[in-house]
Amino acid sequence: MQRAAALVRRGCGPRTPGSWGRSQSSVAAEASAVLKVRPERSRRERILTLESMNPQVKAVEYAVRGPIVLKAGEIELELQRGIKKPFTEVIRANIGDAQAMGQQPITFLRQVMALCTYPNLLDSPSFPEDAKKRARRILQACGGNSLGSYSASQGVNCIREDVAAYITRRDGGVPADPDNIYLTTGASDGISTILKILVSGGGKSRTGVMIPIPQYPLYSAVISELDAIQVNYYLDEENCWSLNVNELRRAVQEAKDHCDPKVLCIINPGNPTGQVQSRKCIEDVIHFAWEEKLFLLADEVYQDNVYSPDCRFHSFKKVLYEMGPEYSSNVELASFHSTSKGYMGECGYRGGYMEVVNLHPEIKGQLVKLLSVRLCPPVSGQAAMDIVVNPPVPGEESFEQFSREKESVLGNLAKKAKLTEDLFNQVPGIHCNPLQGAMYAFPRIFLPAKAVEAAQAHQMAPDMFYCMKLLEETGICVVPGSGFGQREGTYHFRMTILPPVEKLKTVLQKVKDFHINFLEKYA
Amino acid sequence: MQRAAALVRRGCGPRTPGSWGRSQSSVAAEASAVLKVRPERSRRERILTLESMNPQVKAVEYAVRGPIVLKAGEIELELQRGIKKPFTEVIRANIGDAQAMGQQPITFLRQVMALCTYPNLLDSPSFPEDAKKRARRILQACGGNSLGSYSASQGVNCIREDVAAYITRRDGGVPADPDNIYLTTGASDGISTILKILVSGGGKSRTGVMIPIPQYPLYSAVISELDAIQVNYYLDEENCWSLNVNELRRAVQEAKDHCDPKVLCIINPGNPTGQVQSRKCIEDVIHFAWEEKLFLLADEVYQDNVYSPDCRFHSFKKVLYEMGPEYSSNVELASFHSTSKGYMGECGYRGGYMEVVNLHPEIKGQLVKLLSVRLCPPVSGQAAMDIVVNPPVPGEESFEQFSREKESVLGNLAKKAKLTEDLFNQVPGIHCNPLQGAMYAFPRIFLPAKAVEAAQAHQMAPDMFYCMKLLEETGICVVPGSGFGQREGTYHFRMTILPPVEKLKTVLQKVKDFHINFLEKYA
């Protein structure tokens, strides 16, 4: 305080001192009292305001954690404060967060992680040998044999090797090179990093990024941050949300008038739409990218989440190689995977990887340079990624328990996918495509004209209005289709199928009852 | 392959098929053979090249993991391959990575982390009760009681509360509000996020960001990525790298000709320079920011790393409040901390926090929205941050061991800081300011004219030339001063003081011998 007073004496202080040496609270009280009588003591204009901030950041929207989720948080606080509602808990079906919905972690993964975290446990007889073997291997590849050291910017070497071996197995022998693997902070980080490198140009030569509609809103958010041009192509709802190459052609032709379309993003299995692309469709898309000279981004984080017996996951990488050298040595591709989805659902660890194909060697250097600025992805997330790609194999001690746990999660998800589709399709005014994969339903809801008017009166998108009412009346939090994009005049919402089976049945019944009431109310 | 052939029949395939149905390697061999005779089968121009990439990313430089570190990696590989060198190992003194240099993790932190990772251990008698108590508290605040769930975008609530309580204790009662705490993926993430929001405008109203020279190159890298304007202010090497407000005034005045200076970044304790700012200096800086309407960024990640008995760490937040309401209710400040430095050195977990002061409520909303796009910082890193701010206290079971470990790390660092300063100052042609804090020496090296000429002949900065020679001759990897910025015509390097004492002595002796030889060679 004396120093502050000294500062004032030097003429550097505020023009109206008088509160030095008193407690913070009395100072604050005086400050607010003074505010009324002496305008020169009032709060100054802030430097950082909505007007002065980065307009590209201001334009970002991210519905999955948008206004409806903020409202859900408020309602939870009200419930905690004892305010009566027609329900006792908020069910957060807005985000693909399996463990938050009660899914148990895969034991083996957490055992390896615990061993890596606290290596004293390597002497404990309560941990299986196969888990110890993996933990030792990971630690030996870490600086100082510790998860607490930075890794190489591209990720721990032996983990990148394990990822490459996994991809090679997955793709029936199509080779993967550890040098083309970049470990990331979840898939989101990989996607935004490669987009950051890709975007360039101004005016009509600004980079256009083609994304599906409906899309996962990370894409639109990053495009906005980077001031790139979003080029929409529409998935075909009448045909199970399939991707039609004619629609890609339409979109790219129209886009060429005002930007330079350079990137094509695909989400397979689809988020929020849940379709699984056929091999033929993937071939068509790759050929289109080859023809139009587009850099392909394949978001394949749901590669383990395929439920429909008629569908199989085909990686873009594998199909690309099978199409022959004209494609496999020319088409530039980045594909993404994550620890957050699949059967392990380890969202909190923020693990992921990106595989690049045909990336120019100089660009690889640029990529490593850019990644090195943030030093490295979380090493614990890298270790989690290792277990995802390198799980117990037959003959190993943990194999039986691991398989049981994995099958249980995936079997339940398949059951819930079917249950959700069936129940939604029993409700008048709801139509739901088959949930072939991923972990969401994205049903179409047919809203009466009066509901649309009521929404407009509240200055809300009609499906936002619907979802807000659903939240307020039932405690169920889902995300309106407008947050993902949809054809004009159609309305949807995205709901996860992650609650446990019995709970999910209750949720679906509540949505059904709400919907029927809603239709009656706005008939 | 059949499908690919079918694709060709539909007229979608390459014009010269002929390699279908053979193995990948034979396909590749043929492709390269064909390359020579049939130009139409040659590799197409890549879409993503140095010419077409984002020019702002291309302009990014990050010396801490730059060319010299790539060279160090190459040398390590050569050593592994048995190639003889005048040394047997590379010593990576380029980066502040304590555990990679052999520092042991703080036991208590890792115990809590292991308990959170694998909660079965909560029943184990081998873990202390105070560690279990903290683990239970963290898990209860996580979705599904698991580190595997996403947290709120701003971070786990109870961890933000612990951070706020820590800041309040640290700052002698100046209150901190959990609502102003944002958990981050290391400090780098917080710094780049807030800069991303701050940067706006074009031409002469483009945002100017004032940074110290020498600086930690994260700043220049992010400024380049965001296409903002870097405004240099020079630290005063003659006065122990102190910050002189007259120099700030000079820099801001000159900058106003070509940009809108809006942000002032301070690193205290300094990186790479190791100075600890006096309370008076911090007051002066805050007053200057108030006067010039600058948003303050205080990088305080080395707040626990103060060695000089004459110095104390003062937080910008505390000094701001003690200067009275005109400052404390007007100056906008963001300050940063990390799990990576201090005495715990948990770099790999990528934990950190940002505290904001006087941030406009609407901007807080924008910040949460922007963070939500990446979902959340790694929850394991958040848990590590919790232990950093909420360590064992007297009376708790682990307190004695924790204190012993902490004092050992900090005591050793203080010893090594003194040792390094003393030894460098014995070498003719090296001058080293006192290492008051942080974990680096940044000695000035006086290079003979002939060495400067030799460097120019190699198209290298003179200090890069010096550091490359040092690496090649001794295996010691340090970062040239040109990667941090320095006054024209002066040369430096940054070296960490993290190797264990005996090893550090050897390193210093080797640098000394190298330097004397170097001076002789280029005399």
Side-chain angles (χ1 to χ4, degrees):
Chain A
M1 291 296 166
Q2 281 174 352
R3 282 168 196 260
L7 188 78
V8 174
R9 280 195 299 276
R10 287 202 327 274
C12 305
R15 270 165 292 166
T16 52
S19 55
W20 310 114
R22 269 177 285 148
S23 76
Q24 288 301 321
S25 60
S26 75
V27 166
E30 201 218 31
S32 78
V34 165
L35 206 68
K36 288 166 197 147
V37 290
R38 296 191 215 165
E40 76 274 21
R41 282 290 296 278
S42 70
R43 279 209 166 189
R44 305 208 305 196
E45 182 80 16
R46 291 274 169 269
I47 296 158
L48 181 55
T49 64
L50 280 187
E51 288 67 45
S52 72
M53 74 178 283
N54 185 335
Q56 292 154 223
V57 172
K58 192 155 87 178
V60 164
E61 289 182 15
Y62 186 69
V64 174
R65 291 193 152 185
I68 198 137
V69 183
L70 296 177
K71 182 75 187 172
E74 285 168 25
I75 292 177
E76 276 174 338
L77 283 178
E78 288 173 0
L79 285 172
Q80 280 168 26
R81 274 194 249 110
I83 295 173
K84 283 271 175 282
K85 302 266 173 192
F87 49 86
T88 54
E89 63 164 340
V90 169
I91 294 170
R92 289 176 174 260
N94 57 295
I95 190 165
D97 190 356
Q99 295 191 20
M101 281 292 176
Q103 184 181 307
Q104 292 305 300
I106 298 290
T107 304
F108 183 76
L109 187 144
R110 292 302 187 93
Q111 285 173 330
V112 179
M113 298 290 287
L115 290 160
C116 288
T117 304
Y118 191 56
N120 286 14
L121 293 171
L122 287 165
D123 300 327
S124 159
S126 352
F127 285 78
E129 275 311 312
D130 46 3
K132 289 182 184 175
K133 196 177 115 194
R134 280 176 183 66
R136 283 197 194 96
R137 183 159 176 278
I138 293 169
L139 289 175
Q140 274 163 13
C142 291
N145 302 327
S146 171
L147 291 192
S149 303
Y150 293 119
S151 75
S153 311
Q154 195 170 349
V156 174
N157 280 350
C158 83
I159 300 179
R160 291 190 293 111
E161 284 164 14
D162 288 347
V163 169
Y166 159 79
I167 294 173
T168 306
R169 277 196 315 278
R170 181 198 68 187
D171 290 346
V174 174
D177 182 347
D179 199 42
N180 289 335
I181 308 298
Y182 297 76
L183 299 175
T184 58
T185 309
S188 307
D189 170 47
I191 293 166
S192 52
T193 300
I194 196 82
L195 280 173
K196 192 187 282 178
I197 295 190
L198 273 160
V199 167
S200 67
K204 283 195 175 186
S205 53
R206 190 70 181 158
T207 296
V209 181
M210 302 183 71
I211 61 170
I213 297 294
Q215 54 125 6
Y216 174 59
L218 167 72
Y219 291 93
S220 50
V222 173
I223 289 169
S224 172
E225 264 186 46
L226 294 170
D227 209 14
I229 308 295
Q230 177 176 325
V231 177
N232 295 336
Y233 65 89
Y234 289 84
L235 301 175
D236 185 358
E237 183 163 18
E238 316 303 312
N239 285 296
C240 291
W241 296 114
S242 67
L243 196 170
N244 185 320
V245 173
N246 289 331
E247 168 60 11
L248 290 179
R249 270 188 236 290
R250 179 208 60 78
V252 84
Q253 285 312 326
E254 286 181 22
K256 283 174 181 171
D257 287 344
H258 60 277
C259 69
D260 175 19
K262 206 160 81 177
V263 190
L264 171 55
C265 302
I266 307 285
I267 312 174
N268 178 49
N271 175 8
T273 39
Q275 84 286 12
V276 176
Q277 283 185 313
S278 70
R279 197 184 177 296
K280 158 88 174 57
C281 174
I282 294 174
E283 277 190 8
D284 291 349
V285 170
I286 292 174
H287 178 70
F288 172 79
W290 174 86
E291 208 175 41
E292 291 287 344
K293 299 199 172 66
L294 296 168
F295 193 109
L296 269 172
L297 299 196
D299 179 341
E300 302 178 324
V301 300
Y302 296 100
Q303 58 189 263
D304 285 321
N305 299 98
V306 175
Y307 314 118
S308 168
D310 308 327
C311 296
R312 253 188 67 203
F313 170 74
H314 304 275
S315 78
F316 268 73
K317 163 89 177 302
K318 178 170 195 255
V319 177
L320 179 64
Y321 272 71
E322 289 174 353
M323 286 171 71
E326 179 64 28
Y327 298 93
S328 66
S329 55
N330 281 318
V331 175
E332 289 156 80
L333 166 71
S335 64
F336 307 92
H337 197 13
S338 161
T339 59
S340 304
K341 311 302 171 185
Y343 52 90
M344 63 305 281
E346 294 286 9
C347 306
Y349 282 99
R350 313 307 297 118
Y353 76 74
M354 164 167 76
E355 184 190 22
V356 297
V357 177
N358 289 322
L359 200 67
H360 195 295
E362 288 174 339
I363 295 294
K364 283 190 186 179
Q366 292 289 322
L367 185 52
V368 168
K369 178 193 74 176
L370 182 61
L371 293 172
S372 74
V373 176
R374 307 294 149 84
L375 299 160
C376 68
V379 182
S380 49
Q382 296 184 46
M385 193 75 239
D386 189 65
I387 308 313
V388 171
V389 297
N390 186 20
V393 292
E396 284 189 314
E397 189 178 348
S398 303
F399 178 71
E400 197 267 329
Q401 184 183 359
F402 167 77
S403 304
R404 206 170 52 233
E405 291 177 357
K406 173 179 169 177
E407 295 317 321
S408 160
V409 171
L410 291 178
N412 267 314
L413 281 170
K415 198 186 296 177
K416 292 189 282 190
K418 191 76 184 65
L419 184 76
T420 305
E421 176 193 341
D422 290 349
L423 200 136
F424 276 144
N425 284 325
Q426 287 166 19
V427 185
I430 295 189
H431 174 262
C432 185
N433 270 326
L435 278 68
Q436 299 170 336
M439 40 184 65
Y440 315 98
F442 194 67
R444 179 164 176 188
I445 45 177
F446 295 84
L447 299 182
K450 273 195 181 164
V452 175
E453 282 163 28
Q456 280 159 352
H458 286 80
Q459 294 187 305
M460 276 186 194
D463 47 12
M464 173 66 92
F465 179 73
Y466 176 94
C467 292
M468 276 287 182
K469 291 279 174 211
L470 177 68
L471 174 62
E472 285 162 4
E473 293 178 24
T474 67
I476 298 165
C477 180
V478 300
V479 187
S482 44
F484 304 90
Q486 54 201 351
R487 281 206 184 268
E488 178 123 17
T490 70
Y491 306 110
H492 303 78
F493 62 82
R494 188 187 84 164
M495 188 187 96
T496 72
I497 57 167
L498 293 171
V501 175
E502 287 312 309
K503 194 168 200 169
L504 181 65
K505 283 183 184 165
T506 315
V507 166
L508 291 168
Q509 188 59 49
K510 281 188 177 187
V511 174
K512 180 180 175 179
D513 296 345
F514 165 83
H515 187 82
I516 291 169
N517 278 333
F518 187 91
L519 289 193
E520 276 174 19
K521 194 168 168 190
Y522 294 99
Chain B
M1 292 297 167
Q2 280 174 351
R3 282 169 198 261
L7 188 78
V8 173
R9 279 195 299 275
R10 288 203 326 276
C12 305
R15 272 164 290 165
T16 53
S19 55
W20 312 115
R22 270 176 285 147
S23 74
Q24 288 302 321
S25 61
S26 76
V27 166
E30 201 217 30
S32 78
V34 165
L35 205 67
K36 287 162 197 150
V37 290
R38 295 192 217 164
E40 74 274 24
R41 281 291 295 281
S42 70
R43 281 211 165 186
R44 303 210 304 197
E45 182 80 14
R46 292 275 169 269
I47 297 159
L48 182 55
T49 64
L50 280 186
E51 288 67 46
S52 72
M53 73 177 285
N54 185 335
Q56 292 153 224
V57 171
K58 193 156 87 179
V60 164
E61 289 182 13
Y62 186 69
V64 173
R65 291 193 153 186
I68 198 138
V69 183
L70 296 178
K71 182 77 187 171
E74 285 168 24
I75 292 176
E76 276 173 338
L77 283 178
E78 288 173 0
L79 286 172
Q80 280 167 26
R81 275 195 250 111
I83 295 174
K84 285 269 175 283
K85 304 265 173 192
F87 48 88
T88 55
E89 62 165 340
V90 169
I91 295 169
R92 290 176 175 260
N94 57 296
I95 190 165
D97 190 354
Q99 295 191 21
M101 281 291 176
Q103 184 181 308
Q104 291 306 299
I106 298 289
T107 304
F108 183 76
L109 188 144
R110 291 303 187 94
Q111 286 174 329
V112 177
M113 297 291 286
L115 291 160
C116 288
T117 303
Y118 191 56
N120 286 14
L121 293 170
L122 287 165
D123 300 327
S124 160
S126 350
F127 285 78
E129 275 311 312
D130 45 4
K132 290 182 182 175
K133 196 176 115 192
R134 279 176 183 67
R136 283 197 194 94
R137 183 159 175 277
I138 292 169
L139 289 175
Q140 275 163 13
C142 292
N145 301 327
S146 171
L147 290 192
S149 303
Y150 293 120
S151 74
S153 311
Q154 196 170 348
V156 173
N157 280 350
C158 83
I159 300 178
R160 291 191 292 112
E161 285 164 15
D162 288 348
V163 169
Y166 158 79
I167 294 173
T168 306
R169 278 196 315 276
R170 180 197 71 187
D171 290 346
V174 174
D177 182 347
D179 199 43
N180 289 336
I181 308 298
Y182 298 76
L183 299 176
T184 58
T185 308
S188 307
D189 171 48
I191 293 166
S192 52
T193 299
I194 197 82
L195 280 172
K196 192 187 282 178
I197 294 190
L198 273 159
V199 167
S200 66
K204 283 196 172 184
S205 53
R206 191 67 183 159
T207 296
V209 180
M210 302 182 70
I211 62 171
I213 297 294
Q215 55 126 6
Y216 174 59
L218 167 73
Y219 291 93
S220 50
V222 173
I223 288 168
S224 172
E225 263 186 49
L226 294 170
D227 208 14
I229 308 297
Q230 176 175 325
V231 177
N232 296 336
Y233 66 88
Y234 289 84
L235 300 175
D236 184 357
E237 183 164 17
E238 316 302 313
N239 285 295
C240 291
W241 296 114
S242 67
L243 196 170
N244 185 320
V245 173
N246 289 331
E247 167 60 10
L248 291 179
R249 269 187 238 291
R250 178 207 61 77
V252 84
Q253 286 311 327
E254 286 182 21
K256 282 175 183 171
D257 288 343
H258 59 278
C259 69
D260 174 19
K262 206 160 79 175
V263 189
L264 171 55
C265 302
I266 306 285
I267 311 173
N268 178 49
N271 175 6
T273 39
Q275 84 286 13
V276 176
Q277 284 186 313
S278 70
R279 198 184 175 296
K280 158 88 173 56
C281 173
I282 294 173
E283 276 189 10
D284 291 350
V285 170
I286 292 174
H287 177 71
F288 172 79
W290 174 86
E291 207 175 42
E292 291 286 344
K293 299 199 172 62
L294 297 168
F295 193 109
L296 270 172
L297 298 197
D299 179 340
E300 301 178 325
V301 300
Y302 296 100
Q303 58 190 265
D304 285 322
N305 299 97
V306 176
Y307 313 118
S308 169
D310 307 327
C311 295
R312 253 187 66 203
F313 171 74
H314 304 275
S315 79
F316 268 73
K317 163 91 179 298
K318 179 170 194 254
V319 176
L320 180 64
Y321 272 71
E322 289 173 353
M323 286 170 73
E326 179 64 27
Y327 298 94
S328 66
S329 55
N330 281 318
V331 175
E332 289 154 81
L333 167 70
S335 64
F336 307 92
H337 196 14
S338 162
T339 58
S340 304
K341 310 300 169 187
Y343 51 90
M344 65 304 282
E346 294 286 7
C347 306
Y349 281 100
R350 314 306 297 120
Y353 74 74
M354 163 168 76
E355 184 190 22
V356 298
V357 177
N358 290 321
L359 199 68
H360 196 295
E362 288 174 338
I363 295 296
K364 283 190 186 180
Q366 292 288 323
L367 185 51
V368 169
K369 178 193 75 177
L370 182 61
L371 294 171
S372 75
V373 176
R374 307 294 150 86
L375 298 159
C376 66
V379 182
S380 48
Q382 296 185 45
M385 193 74 240
D386 189 65
I387 308 313
V388 171
V389 297
N390 187 21
V393 292
E396 284 188 315
E397 190 177 347
S398 304
F399 178 71
E400 198 266 330
Q401 183 183 1
F402 167 78
S403 303
R404 206 171 52 234
E405 292 176 358
K406 172 178 169 176
E407 294 317 321
S408 159
V409 172
L410 291 177
N412 267 315
L413 281 169
K415 199 185 295 177
K416 293 188 283 191
K418 191 78 184 64
L419 184 75
T420 305
E421 177 194 339
D422 288 350
L423 200 135
F424 275 143
N425 284 325
Q426 287 165 20
V427 185
I430 294 189
H431 174 262
C432 185
N433 270 325
L435 279 68
Q436 299 170 336
M439 39 184 67
Y440 315 97
F442 194 68
R444 180 164 175 188
I445 45 178
F446 295 84
L447 300 182
K450 273 197 185 164
V452 175
E453 282 161 29
Q456 280 158 353
H458 286 80
Q459 296 186 303
M460 277 187 194
D463 46 13
M464 174 65 92
F465 179 74
Y466 177 94
C467 292
M468 278 287 183
K469 292 278 174 214
L470 177 68
L471 173 64
E472 286 162 4
E473 293 178 23
T474 66
I476 298 166
C477 180
V478 301
V479 188
S482 44
F484 304 90
Q486 53 200 352
R487 281 204 185 270
E488 177 123 17
T490 69
Y491 307 110
H492 304 78
F493 62 82
R494 187 187 85 163
M495 188 187 95
T496 71
I497 56 167
L498 293 172
V501 175
E502 286 313 307
K503 194 167 198 168
L504 182 64
K505 284 183 185 165
T506 315
V507 167
L508 291 167
Q509 187 59 48
K510 282 187 174 187
V511 175
K512 181 179 174 179
D513 296 344
F514 165 83
H515 187 83
I516 291 170
N517 278 334
F518 187 91
L519 289 193
E520 276 174 20
K521 192 169 168 189
Y522 296 98

